[in-house]
Amino acid sequence: MNFINDNPVLRVASILLCFVGGLVLVFTGWQQTGELGGLIQMLIGVGVLLVALAIYNYPYRDRRK
């Protein structure tokens, strides 16, 4: 992860890619009302959004451990 922190363009691009990809997965899964595949797609999208949040928060973690 230090490689991503040393390259801010790569960090911003990966956050943006994960954010947009996660939203696309959530919204397309949301359109499949009543289908199990839509629910699974939305859950994967939420997971991808959490990855974007983790990449964003990584430089601000507590370093006392």
Side-chain angles (χ1 to χ4, degrees):
M1 274 293 206
N2 289 333
F3 181 73
I4 291 178
N5 288 333
D6 294 339
N7 298 311
V9 174
L10 179 63
R11 183 173 172 256
V12 170
S14 62
I15 291 171
L16 186 65
L17 181 70
C18 287
F19 182 73
V20 171
L23 283 181
V24 166
L25 284 170
V26 168
F27 289 148
T28 55
W30 194 1
Q31 292 175 352
Q32 300 176 15
T33 305
E35 296 181 21
L36 185 61
L39 176 64
I40 293 170
Q41 191 172 358
M42 286 191 291
L43 289 174
I44 293 171
V46 169
V48 172
L49 288 172
L50 287 174
V51 167
L53 185 63
I55 294 171
Y56 174 79
N57 284 330
Y58 187 77
Y60 308 110
R61 71 191 183 285
D62 189 14
R63 297 175 194 252
R64 288 183 286 170
K65 294 181 181 179

